[in-house]
Amino acid sequence: MNHFELFGLAEAYSIDLAELQQRYRKLQQALHPDRFANASERDKLLAVQRTSQLNDAYQTLRNPLTRAEYILSLRGVDMQHEQKTLQDPEFLMAQMEWRERLETLAGDDFAAMDAAYKELDEQTQALQQALESDLQAGADEPAADTVRKLKFMQKLRRELEEIEDNAL
C-alpha cells in the first residue's frame, strides 16, 4: 500500500494538509502500540512497524518536496540515487548569483535580508507551481529537474536563515 492509499487520498502533488493531519491522527490512534499492550509479541511488533510506516508516510506527504519525490518514485523515477546534475544554464547562472549575494549579505541589514527572503519565496513559489503542472501532465523528467531546483532553493533558505541567526 502506498502512502496516498494509506491515508485514502488521491495521488496528487496538491493535497489538503488539514485533511492529511486529521486522517493521520485517526490512524495513529487506531494503530498505536499501546492499544496492543495485551496482544501477542508478534502483534505488538506489527503495531510498532505499522506505526513507523504511518509516521514515515505522514512525514513524506506533508512536505511538498518529499511528496513530489515520492510521486516520482511511484512513477519509476529514482531521485535518491540519481547523479544527474542540472543542465539548465539559466538556473546555474542564478545559483551563482545567489551564492554571490549570500556572501555579501550581512544579517543585520534587515532591508536586504527581507528582500532576499521575498525574492527566494517568489522563485520557490514559481518552481512549486511548475512542479505541480509537470506532475499533473505526467512530465516526470521536467518535474525531477524542478525538484532538484527546489532542493537548491531550500538549501538557500537554510543558509539565509543561518546568516540571519548569526547576526542576532
Side-chain angles (χ1 to χ4, degrees):
M1 175 180 298
N2 77 38
H3 296 347
F4 291 99
E5 291 169 348
L6 178 63
F7 290 103
L9 298 171
E11 182 185 310
Y13 177 70
S14 182
I15 62 173
D16 183 341
L17 293 176
E19 182 178 354
L20 173 66
Q21 186 177 39
Q22 181 183 23
R23 291 177 185 211
Y24 169 70
R25 287 185 178 152
K26 188 175 181 180
L27 285 168
Q28 191 180 39
Q29 288 175 348
L31 298 175
H32 197 278
D34 288 349
R35 295 180 63 92
F36 298 87
N38 296 325
S40 69
E41 288 303 315
R42 181 179 180 277
D43 288 342
K44 287 179 188 178
L45 180 60
L46 282 173
V48 170
Q49 288 174 340
R50 286 185 193 129
T51 300
S52 176
Q53 290 170 338
L54 177 67
N55 291 336
D56 180 51
Y58 178 68
Q59 292 303 321
T60 298
L61 294 184
R62 71 179 245 191
N63 179 297
L65 196 52
T66 57
R67 184 180 330 122
E69 285 183 289
Y70 183 71
I71 291 170
L72 288 170
S73 75
L74 291 175
R75 296 177 182 178
V77 179
D78 185 5
M79 298 290 298
Q80 299 297 340
H81 300 101
E82 200 166 320
Q83 297 299 318
K84 183 177 178 183
T85 58
L86 284 172
Q87 301 299 318
D88 180 345
E90 187 177 312
F91 188 74
L92 294 174
M93 183 61 77
Q95 284 180 340
M96 291 189 322
E97 290 170 4
W98 269 107
R99 289 277 163 233
E100 290 173 8
R101 185 174 182 180
L102 289 182
E103 286 175 11
T104 62
L105 193 60
D108 59 350
D109 184 349
F110 298 115
M113 290 293 293
D114 286 345
Y117 274 118
K118 183 178 184 212
E119 187 177 335
L120 187 62
D121 289 344
E122 288 170 357
Q123 290 178 11
T124 299
Q125 187 174 29
L127 286 170
Q128 286 173 331
Q129 289 172 348
L131 177 59
E132 183 171 11
S133 294
D134 288 342
L135 288 171
Q136 285 177 349
D140 295 342
E141 286 307 316
D145 283 342
T146 304
V147 166
R148 289 182 196 93
K149 291 175 183 179
L150 281 165
K151 283 184 173 185
F152 175 76
M153 302 306 276
Q154 190 176 54
K155 184 177 180 184
L156 276 179
R157 175 168 272 290
R158 284 192 301 268
E159 291 175 18
L160 193 56
E161 289 168 351
E162 199 173 297
I163 291 169
E164 184 178 35
D165 289 345
N166 289 336
L168 298 176

